[in-house]
Amino acid sequence: MRWREICGIALAIMLCTFGSVAQAQSPYGIGRPATSAEIAGWNIDIGRDGSNLPYGSGSVSRGREVFAQQCASCHGDKGEGGLGDRLAGGQGTIGTPRPIRTVGSYWPYAPTLFDYIRRAMPQNAPQSLSDEDVYAVSAYVLNLNGLVGADATLDAKLLAAVKMPNRDRFVGDARPDVKK
């Protein structure tokens, strides 16, 4: 009986060793460190203060065109919602029993709107819009919510300067393990 246990353990060790060697030599590149170019391709996050916003700009009028082509089928012609979430309206409803969470009523920082659109929209082709088109769609959605004028053109500096109505109503996380 003891002999079977020893042989079983030895076999398990050999299989694990062989498995890890085979995995390291995989033609799929498993375990290979990411290159700087690969990391740069995914390092596209935008801070709430606008840090890391790319160069470029976009107007409300261009945003209206892009929105009609890429967004309206899900979010409605004027951001009223449909298959996708409602994007406009709802101001003043967050503290009510039936809050309407939209960009204009709930979203705390305008630069993170750019970040979300660039990463996730349109849903059938995320990250397919140019930075200029993302600026434009952001400008159009902010205009639908009355936060920028119809003649606005947003760039990194102007987008970061937009003060969202719900910005100061979020409560910080008091847990000691959460960075502030």
Side-chain angles (χ1 to χ4, degrees):
M1 179 125 163
R2 181 103 170 123
W3 179 247
R4 274 197 239 174
E5 290 175 3
I6 292 172
C7 285
I9 291 171
L11 181 61
I13 290 172
M14 286 187 341
L15 288 174
C16 288
T17 303
F18 177 74
S20 65
V21 169
Q23 187 177 20
Q25 296 174 353
S26 168
Y28 300 107
I30 296 174
R32 174 183 62 77
T35 66
S36 296
E38 291 168 333
I39 292 169
W42 285 97
N43 188 18
I44 61 170
D45 62 312
I46 306 298
R48 65 185 185 183
D49 62 351
S51 57
N52 209 24
L53 276 167
Y55 177 79
S57 65
S59 67
V60 171
S61 61
R62 173 68 183 146
R64 185 177 299 110
E65 295 170 13
V66 175
F67 192 90
Q69 296 167 359
Q70 301 289 333
C71 314
S73 62
C74 291
H75 295 287
D77 292 332
K78 300 285 185 191
E80 68 274 9
L83 295 173
D85 291 337
R86 182 174 174 177
L87 301 177
Q91 286 85 346
T93 66
I94 294 301
T96 68
R98 291 185 175 212
I100 300 170
R101 291 189 179 120
T102 68
V103 171
S105 68
Y106 186 72
W107 210 277
Y109 300 98
T112 60
L113 173 64
F114 179 99
D115 182 69
Y116 184 76
I117 293 169
R118 180 167 72 166
R119 284 177 189 275
M121 295 293 134
Q123 189 174 18
N124 65 342
Q127 297 185 21
S128 64
L129 298 175
S130 70
D131 290 339
E132 287 76 18
D133 284 347
V134 177
Y135 274 115
V137 171
S138 299
Y140 179 65
V141 171
L142 292 170
N143 173 258
L144 288 175
N145 285 281
L147 300 171
V148 299
D151 59 346
T153 297
L154 296 180
D155 58 13
K157 184 178 179 182
L158 294 172
L159 183 62
V162 174
K163 179 136 171 41
M164 302 299 282
N166 201 39
R167 177 185 284 184
D168 298 327
R169 292 191 180 102
F170 279 80
V171 178
D173 194 333
R175 292 178 292 177
D177 60 329
V178 176
K179 291 182 180 179
K180 299 202 180 338

